[in-house]
Amino acid sequence: MATSQDVDYSVRDHTAWLTMNRPGVLNALSKGVFRGLELALASASSDPAVHSIVIRGEGRAFSAGLDVKEVSGFATQKEARDFVYRLVKPFWERFFECEKPILSLVDGPAYGAGAEIALASDIVIASTRSTFAFSGGRVGALCCISAGLGQFSMIGRKVVEMNLTGAALSAEEARLFGLVNYVEEPGGIENRVAKILDEMRHVSPTSNASFKRIHGSLITARILNVAYKELLRTITSPDFRTGATAFARKEPPEYYK
């Protein structure tokens, strides 16, 4: 497969392992990560030897979300538009078109679009030291996928609250609200993943693919098109410049002056 240095791809025991590999910035979702994940999902989807997919992050985080430093550095509207429509959109299209089970193994923070990857996954296993937040609005951006998908995956009113406040949930709170399936001690999460993957081997892959086709039909092109449009709107807004500047200074943003 074509590769990206920001995402490691390996296959073992019929499972594709996709590892976001930017531990120094908590696996922030850069151009390279979006491109790498999309390429890895394409390879896993087309490989008949792959029965399931696991996404995880290297180091002490799953993903801190959008790479604010990179995105705030776009010099033109075209750069921002290309980011949304040539990187973000193809990644999510590939994700939602995938007919193989996708698991997220979360060990550490999953924020912003990182939390959305977990939200969109079929099964989520989290360690007790994990936290989840749809925090895009805190930097003036947007968790656009959670707005359209959240009500299908967890308690809808909590999705609204999490987006409008940016507040984080613990792994156990995330489980109670339907964002997480299992919470394990850090040393036990891979054992839980192995158990789930073993159970999947007793289920017809055709049945799983058909289930995912039905489930995926809930997410319409209209919803996603609005999501991408609004993501572009936010990351080219004055609020994003305010939020990104505050983020770089490690200060709280002031949107209401």
Side-chain angles (χ1 to χ4, degrees):
M1 60 165 271
T3 59
S4 164
Q5 63 180 1
D6 294 328
V7 176
D8 294 335
Y9 179 88
S10 62
V11 177
R12 65 175 190 267
D13 297 329
H14 301 291
T15 297
W17 293 78
L18 283 55
T19 304
M20 295 176 281
N21 191 18
R22 302 184 75 211
V25 289
L26 303 181
N27 302 313
L29 294 164
S30 62
K31 293 179 182 179
V33 175
F34 277 114
R35 184 180 297 111
L37 287 173
E38 194 270 326
L39 290 171
L41 284 169
S43 292
S45 296
S46 62
D47 187 347
V50 170
H51 301 165
S52 53
I53 299 165
V54 177
I55 301 177
R56 62 183 175 181
E58 184 65 38
R60 60 189 181 91
F62 181 73
S63 173
L66 197 65
D67 188 329
V68 175
K69 183 177 180 181
E70 181 182 78
V71 177
S72 65
F74 293 154
T76 65
Q77 177 89 6
K78 182 181 184 302
E79 280 189 70
R81 185 175 185 83
D82 284 349
F83 174 71
V84 172
Y85 286 98
R86 295 190 178 184
L87 289 167
V88 176
K89 182 175 183 282
F91 160 69
W92 282 115
E93 285 179 340
R94 186 76 66 182
F95 195 108
F96 291 130
E97 289 170 359
C98 181
E99 295 184 354
K100 298 177 181 181
I102 299 176
L103 288 70
S104 276
L105 192 165
V106 181
D107 187 15
Y111 277 29
E116 291 187 305
I117 291 174
L119 174 74
S121 296
D122 300 305
I123 298 175
V124 181
I125 303 94
S127 74
T128 51
R129 61 189 173 198
S130 300
T131 50
F132 297 81
F134 299 125
S135 52
R138 290 203 171 185
V139 294
L142 175 69
C143 289
C144 63
I145 297 301
S146 65
L149 175 67
Q151 66 269 30
F152 302 125
S153 302
M154 58 184 294
I155 297 175
R157 295 197 66 85
K158 196 62 180 179
V159 175
V160 174
E161 179 187 345
M162 289 178 71
N163 273 276
L164 297 184
T165 66
L169 297 181
S170 68
E172 184 56 32
E173 288 172 324
R175 187 189 68 79
L176 291 173
F177 286 108
L179 176 54
V180 168
N181 295 81
Y182 298 97
V183 177
E184 305 285 351
E185 292 298 324
I189 53 176
E190 294 214 12
N191 288 336
R192 173 64 70 177
V193 170
K195 182 177 180 181
I196 292 170
L197 293 175
D198 185 62
E199 290 172 343
M200 283 182 179
R201 292 186 179 98
H202 302 290
V203 177
S204 156
T206 304
S207 174
N208 278 345
S210 293
F211 173 84
K212 290 203 64 174
R213 287 183 184 183
I214 298 166
H215 190 62
S217 70
L218 297 171
I219 308 161
T220 66
R222 178 179 176 275
I223 288 174
L224 292 176
N225 287 336
V226 173
Y228 304 136
K229 178 182 176 182
E230 294 304 320
L231 175 60
L232 179 61
R233 174 175 178 258
T234 58
I235 66 172
T236 55
S237 70
D239 280 357
F240 184 60
R241 290 193 292 273
T242 297
T245 300
F247 178 83
R249 295 174 178 171
K250 298 183 179 180
E251 298 173 351
E254 294 185 14
Y255 296 118
Y256 303 97
K257 293 183 180 180

